[in-house]
Amino acid sequence: MTKYRADLTVLSSTDVAQDFTLLRVSTHDIDPVIAPGQFAELRTVTPTGNLLRRPISIHDYDPKAHVLSFLIRRVGDATKAICRLRPGDKLDTVFPLGNGFPLDKAGNRPLLVGGGVGVAPLMLLAKQLISCGASPVCAFGAKTESELLLIDEFSRLCPVHISTDDGSKGIKGFVSDLPLFSPSELSSFSSVMVCGPTPMMKAVNNRVASSSIDCFVSLETMMACGIGVCLCCVTDTQEGNLRVCTDGPVFNTKSLKW
Amino acid sequence: MVKLSVNLGNNLSLANPVLTASGTFGYGYEYDDFFDVSSLGGFIVKGTTLEPRQGNPAPRMAETPSGMLNAVGLQNKGVEYFVSNIYPKLLKYSNCVIVNVSGSSVEDYVATASRIAQLDHVAAIELNISCPNVKKGGMGFGTNPDMAAQVVDAVRKVYSKHLMVKLTPNVTDITAIARAVESAGADSVSLINTLLGMAIDAERRRPMLSTITGGLSGPAVKPVALRMVWQVSHAVKIPVVGLGGIANATDAVEFLLAGASAVQIGTANFIDPSTPARVLAGIEDYLRRHNIDNVNDLIGSLIV
Ligand SMILES: Cc1cc2nc3c(=O)[nH]c(=O)nc-3n(C[C@H](O)[C@H](O)[C@H](O)COP(=O)(O)OP(=O)(O)OC[C@H]3O[C@@H](n4cnc5c(N)ncnc54)[C@H](O)[C@@H]3O)c2cc1C
Ligand SMILES: Cc1cc2nc3c(=O)[nH]c(=O)nc-3n(C[C@H](O)[C@H](O)[C@H](O)COP(=O)(O)O)c2cc1C
Ligand code: FES
């Protein structure tokens, strides 16, 4: 897959919840091939106090309309600056990067698990799985109802099960406490694909580990280059230290030292 | 047409003075999608050691004001893996491929350099002497003139092609080290490697890096690097290759003015993967604007 560095024009920037922005940019005359779970390295064209780019998952991509979207949590200076961009502004983008979720290993009933902003890459994943004939099911967890993102949009695509830490929506507890993870229900799924905070991904993996189902997780580590050259982003695996940016970010949990 | 080629001695002639820094450019091919890598004077691949190295645990990186700290710890798959799996992929590049060699003993350096000496398409070795000598209590080869000279002398005996020696800035007098490696047979010196630094996460009361301290690079180090290039270019007769914080053509020109015969682009590759191509075009533009038709006339031409 060819990688690009391009200044993409912002089409819209919408707040989808407190601290979360949906940013849509135009890929205009380039025709990238994008797999769900891949990411981009972003920075604003006008310099900010931050030197390095920030890795952000590709949330959605419409190749016909040439629209690429990101779902961004405004945590620090760089994400705030990116989310302040207005239509017509440029977003300096290096993409698509990394290996996405393996569509060929998803099977016909994959369970997509998202925690917080970890739902970001699951939109394109759900859409592509459906267009391949699969019937995904989503399980989303968040601290509280206001941090559940794009539930309506996902619900239009497939069934969505919800948990919140405070019980404000769905079951009270972690996403891994959902009845879906009971051995009897879990066995109806062909694979599990997860993106979210590491403790949540580990909890999900613990529930899946006793089954024969493959569990794929999208890891987050500190990245400098995003293209496999700096070796800053490694995670410890059965094969030693591997780069999250190019050997991942999606890994089968069996290959990790979890 | 401006003349851009520079000669670093002992048969290392570069089509232009732009190189890339080891550890920031992978093995070159990672940049194929972004620009024509062969258009550069050359590129320097990731530090290679005799045996495979796993490097340090995560976290290995922290962003700092105008810079970054890294604690990669020379992760690489070892020289044999390089020779059989990576070297064949470098044959397509028509410019100078330079291999950065690291070690933890003189014997390691010599064994790795001997293996690299067998590769026709490698134009030069850049010897990274910023590594701890495990046999000498972990003291850095590059922080002691005698130890620096010893490793360069030993490698010189097994490597006849161009030997560039990369200096660490973490010393009181870098010119003493530069003179020592020149006497031991280095064909050129490159500087600077990263500056030892540290970053702390105050909220968590913890260091940002697994190794507590790490190497600082990026624009923050440029003034230190320029000063050292200036000092070293006046202390030795062999060519000096300058690096440290170069992010654009103006930065590169500053190093050439200070006395560097060529420059390397490092951390800036992470921010814009096409930086080396931009720097090259910008140097050419600078020469034209200043009516200089040969880049060699710019080298060391600082007006003081
Ligand atoms: C593959 C991948 C995909 C991601 N996808 C998304 C996404 O779709 N939406 C989203 O909101 N966030 C995503 N993130 C997280 C996002 O990269 C960080 O939130 C962002 O870098 C924070 O930058 P900041 O300057 O706003 O905050 P800062 O104040 O700089 O940092 C806040 C926290 O963000 C993390 N972080 C900072 N710099 C980096 C870096 N260079 N590389 C990795 N992590 C860093 C650290 O944990 C840090 O403590 C992803 C991260 C990775 C690795
Ligand atoms: C992530 C990273 C890895 C590096 N790895 C090596 C290495 O393997 N060998 C080496 O000699 N220098 C290594 N360096 C140092 C750079 O080559 C360069 O000397 C330094 O970063 C200063 O230049 P810069 O400010 O342009 O990056 C590394 C630097 C970084 C940031
Ligand atoms: S971020 Fe540089 S190798 Fe992964």
Side-chain angles (χ1 to χ4, degrees), chain A residues 156-237:
Chain A
R156 265 179 243 133
L157 298 172
C158 57
V160 177
H161 299 252
I162 290 168
S163 74
T164 49
D165 296 2
D166 62 2
S168 51
K169 179 105 186 193
I171 69 145
K172 182 171 159 58
F174 299 125
V175 71
S176 53
D177 298 328
L178 283 166
L180 288 175
F181 289 97
S182 68
S184 58
E185 285 204 45
L186 193 60
S187 62
S188 72
F189 291 103
S190 47
S191 62
V192 180
M193 306 202 161
V194 201
C195 185
T198 305
M200 169 275 206
M201 294 199 290
K202 286 190 171 167
V204 168
N205 183 53
N206 284 341
R207 306 270 341 230
V208 183
S210 50
S211 73
S212 60
I213 301 167
D214 277 329
C215 183
F216 298 93
V217 292
S218 180
L219 297 186
E220 267 191 31
T221 52
M222 294 293 285
M223 294 184 176
C225 73
I227 58 171
V229 300
C230 75
L231 303 179
C232 286
C233 65
V234 297
T235 190
D236 196 11
T237 74

Side-chain angles (χ1 to χ4, degrees), chain A residues 1-5 43 50-54 94 222-225 227-232 234 239-241, chain B residues 23-26 30-31 33-34 46 54 56 58 60-61 63 66-68 70 72 75 219 270-273:
Chain A
M1 273 178 240
T2 307
K3 299 183 189 82
Y4 301 87
R5 195 219 59 81
R43 70 195 277 252
N50 295 100
L51 181 69
L52 299 169
R53 290 173 182 273
R54 292 297 189 264
V94 175
M222 294 293 285
M223 294 184 176
C225 73
I227 58 171
V229 300
C230 75
L231 303 179
C232 286
V234 297
E239 296 169 58
N241 284 326
Chain B
T24 67
F25 204 68
E30 294 90 339
Y31 287 84
D33 282 349
F34 301 108
K46 176 71 198 162
Q54 275 299 314
N56 294 317
R60 290 178 169 184
M61 189 277 277
E63 194 179 25
S66 297
M68 63 173 278
N70 89 82
V72 172
Q75 178 178 337
F270 305 157
I271 296 139
D272 176 0

Side-chain angles (χ1 to χ4, degrees), chain A residues 54-57 71-73 75-76 78-79 117 120 220-223:
Chain A
R54 292 297 189 264
I56 300 289
S57 300
L71 182 62
I72 305 175
R73 176 177 199 152
V75 288
T79 49
V117 75
E220 267 191 31
T221 52
M222 294 293 285
M223 294 184 176

Side-chain angles (χ1 to χ4, degrees), chain B residues 139-152:
Chain B
M139 200 219 271
F141 283 99
T143 55
N144 174 296
D146 294 336
M147 260 165 49
Q150 200 194 338
V151 66
V152 171

